[in-house]
Amino acid sequence: MRAQSSRPPQAAAPGSAEPAPTGCLLALLTGPPDHDAGFMAEMSALASADGLQVVGWISQDRLLPEPSTYFGRGKVEEIRAEMERVGVDLLLVGGELTAAQCSRLEDQIDGRVIDRTELILDIFAQRARSAEGRLQVEVAQLRWRIPRLRGLGTHLSRLGGGIGTRGPGETKLESDRRAIMRRLRVLEARLGPVALRRRTARLGRPYPQVALLGYTNAGKTTLLRRLAEDVPAGEDRLFATLDPLTRAVHLPSGHQILLTDTVGFVRDLPHTLVAAFRATLEEVRQADVWIKLFDGVGDPIDRQERAIDQVLTEIQAEDRPTLRVVTKADLTDVSGDADLIQISAQSGLGLSVLLDALDRAVAASWEEAEWLIPFRRGDLLAHLHRAARVVAEAHDEHGTMVRAAVTPAVRAYLEGELSRDA
Ligand SMILES: Nc1nc2c(ncn2[C@@H]2O[C@H](COP(=O)(O)OP(=O)(O)OP(=O)(O)O)[C@@H](O)[C@H]2O)c(=O)[nH]1
Ligand SMILES: [Mg+2]
């Protein structure tokens, strides 16, 4: 019986700081409508992001996985032979396997199987930096692991229930499971306060919030860096950014917004991951405006948009005013769709058009209201001028009567301050 799954060991190449990539065979179904050439390229990119090197691949043209071993019986044999031929004992599957499919497949190929979900979880685990990011990834990994715990338990289930099934194996499995559940409770208890701290930090001085949504490697961080100060450079690797990064951006109207770059998406982002990244994705749910950023040299735009929309549905985000933007226009021409704003964060092309459109989109999410601001709260008046559109202003002996268009968050902040001050 093989030990419970863990990352394949990676031997360090002599004289190099980077561990040598571990060779693997990629196997995938080509039948599902989604599994086109782009899907295959993405699998290879994900593999190399995780330090794996795809040394060969095998496909099976079927629409649905074979219930028992994911691939059909003959194909499994072919995979086993090919792994032997190319000398690898790791199989990367371009899809999501059930726990049972995974363990049966491992037994039949006599090697280790990693599916797409485990691969993505592993990349996230390596990239997470902030306390919150690490907690979220660990929760996702533990939730993923629970149904995959293997011990003598699988043995026992083959024997059937009844007398003799309460052996030491089952006890071990049960205690492993209990240990994981305990750890999950600890992690979830820690996550609450972390998320709350971040939320409070964000709401300290609210400005209209804009969230960047797009594939990993689309160019979100590079765009934020163009528009704001103190942003680290984007990187040519998948899931470079995991922790949300929020910066002030000044619009042509003179208003200020907060632009948030958050975790990138891929097709079929694993459910466990989306669920675990709820706190991070909360930034997206709270935003007043969304920018969907498409990679001009990536998958077809409708494909990228479907992947974004899928996550939005999963986190139950309600529709926002949205700008659809395609970047890397220095490399490609995607004109044709009048609805798309073309930019290049690299060359600066189209950025003024984007900022004007952003000004309009932000203003569209505002509502007008009126307040009396006492003279001693000049700071609130100054804040309104940066974070809202002031329509009218009049002074009397009590203070300044202001009429302005604001976002709900700015309004809530202002009214909170005024009532505390009263
Ligand atoms: N030619 C060109 N390259 C770009 C442009 N914008 C970004 N890139 C490159 O694309 C790669 C990915 O950019 P990032 O900004 O890191 O992408 P991201 O969307 O933040 O990716 P994740 O953090 O992984 O989600 C980097 O190598 C960038 O230099 C652009 O407008 N033109
Ligand atoms: Mg990034």
Side-chain angles (χ1 to χ4, degrees):
M1 182 73 39
R2 236 179 326 279
Q4 174 52 38
S5 62
S6 65
R7 251 182 90 62
Q10 296 192 3
S16 97
E18 286 280 302
T22 306
C24 66
L25 186 78
L26 170 61
L28 73 182
L29 301 181
T30 48
D34 232 18
H35 292 198
D36 52 19
F39 181 81
M40 168 112 175
E42 187 186 270
M43 272 311 292
S44 297
L46 286 169
S48 69
D50 195 38
L52 302 178
Q53 188 182 5
V54 177
V55 296
W57 62 280
I58 284 190
S59 66
Q60 181 165 36
D61 185 24
R62 57 183 298 158
L63 203 56
L64 293 173
E66 202 278 324
S68 145
T69 48
Y70 195 83
F71 299 102
R73 187 199 290 258
K75 191 54 76 173
V76 172
E77 182 46 36
E78 208 181 299
I79 289 171
R80 200 193 56 73
E82 183 63 9
M83 286 174 68
E84 202 167 292
R85 196 183 69 78
V86 296
V88 297
D89 54 13
L90 181 64
L91 179 71
L92 178 60
V93 178
E96 192 166 304
L97 272 63
T98 64
Q101 283 169 337
C102 185
S103 65
R104 276 192 290 260
L105 190 55
E106 287 196 329
D107 286 344
Q108 293 191 17
I109 60 164
D110 196 23
R112 167 95 162 84
V113 171
I114 293 188
D115 73 354
R116 195 167 171 277
T117 302
E118 188 181 359
L119 182 68
I120 295 175
L121 281 174
D122 203 46
I123 300 172
F124 270 58
Q126 292 174 56
R127 302 277 200 264
R129 291 280 170 276
S130 71
E132 186 176 29
R134 283 167 190 263
L135 288 170
Q136 291 181 126
V137 173
E138 194 180 342
V139 167
Q141 284 184 313
L142 292 178
R143 291 210 172 284
W144 182 87
R145 196 167 295 152
I146 293 169
R148 288 172 176 79
L149 282 176
R150 290 179 82 184
L152 290 169
T154 28
H155 235 25
L156 294 169
S157 65
R158 275 191 212 126
L159 293 176
I163 300 166
T165 55
R166 289 226 161 263
E170 193 193 46
T171 310
K172 169 87 174 70
L173 194 65
E174 268 312 305
S175 71
D176 283 356
R177 194 189 306 272
R178 266 200 306 275
I180 290 187
M181 296 308 286
R182 255 199 316 275
R183 176 85 187 137
L184 268 175
R185 278 195 296 274
V186 169
L187 293 174
E188 279 166 352
R190 272 192 218 154
L191 256 174
V194 178
L196 186 68
R197 260 201 304 282
R198 193 162 44 79
R199 215 159 29 243
T200 327
R202 185 182 51 215
L203 290 180
R205 264 287 148 104
Y207 287 93
Q209 307 266 329
V210 179
L212 280 166
L213 312 176
Y215 262 29
T216 170
N217 223 39
K220 299 179 298 299
T221 303
T222 309
L223 176 59
L224 183 64
R225 187 177 160 85
R226 258 283 171 175
L227 302 177
E229 287 172 5
D230 188 27
V231 179
E235 292 172 67
D236 188 12
R237 59 178 197 159
L238 303 187
F239 300 117
T241 311
L242 279 197
D243 300 315
L245 189 66
T246 301
R247 290 289 179 270
V249 170
H250 299 275
L251 298 180
S253 61
H255 293 127
Q256 184 178 314
I257 57 158
L258 294 178
L259 184 58
T260 298
D261 170 22
T262 178
V263 51
F265 304 156
V266 284
R267 313 168 179 217
D268 305 321
L269 201 58
H271 177 76
T272 28
L273 210 53
V274 176
F277 269 69
R278 244 174 201 290
T280 292
L281 292 167
E282 194 58 23
E283 300 280 343
V284 173
R285 271 162 47 97
Q286 299 286 334
D288 300 298
V289 172
W290 290 330
I291 296 180
K292 287 183 180 169
L293 189 70
F294 306 117
D295 185 341
V297 292
D299 270 355
I301 285 166
D302 60 335
R303 176 59 270 172
Q304 295 185 46
E305 189 156 26
R306 272 209 303 284
I308 296 171
D309 290 344
Q310 205 183 333
V311 175
L312 292 175
T313 307
E314 197 162 338
I315 61 169
Q316 294 165 325
E318 280 165 30
D319 266 358
R320 291 302 129 90
T322 302
L323 298 182
R324 297 170 71 248
V325 180
V326 56
T327 185
K328 306 191 186 173
D330 54 307
L331 299 177
T332 175
D333 178 22
V334 283
S335 53
D337 188 340
D339 209 27
L340 279 175
I341 301 172
Q342 278 200 67
I343 65 157
S344 162
Q346 198 116 303
S347 75
L349 183 103
L351 291 184
S352 58
V353 178
L354 171 62
L355 289 175
D356 284 336
L358 203 47
D359 239 334
R360 284 193 299 277
V362 168
S365 69
W366 291 356
E367 284 166 27
E368 274 192 31
E370 210 168 61
W371 309 272
L372 176 67
I373 300 184
F375 287 126
R376 62 178 179 282
R377 295 308 307 266
D379 61 313
L380 291 179
L381 195 59
H383 182 66
L384 264 186
H385 276 278
R386 281 192 301 271
R389 181 163 47 85
V390 175
V391 182
E393 227 174 313
H395 307 284
D396 66 20
E397 71 269 30
H398 305 293
T400 309
M401 204 60 209
V402 192
R403 186 163 183 81
V406 292
T407 62
V410 173
R411 178 177 187 159
Y413 164 73
L414 187 77
E415 290 176 357
E417 287 293 304
L418 287 174
S419 68
R420 229 195 324 273
D421 212 67

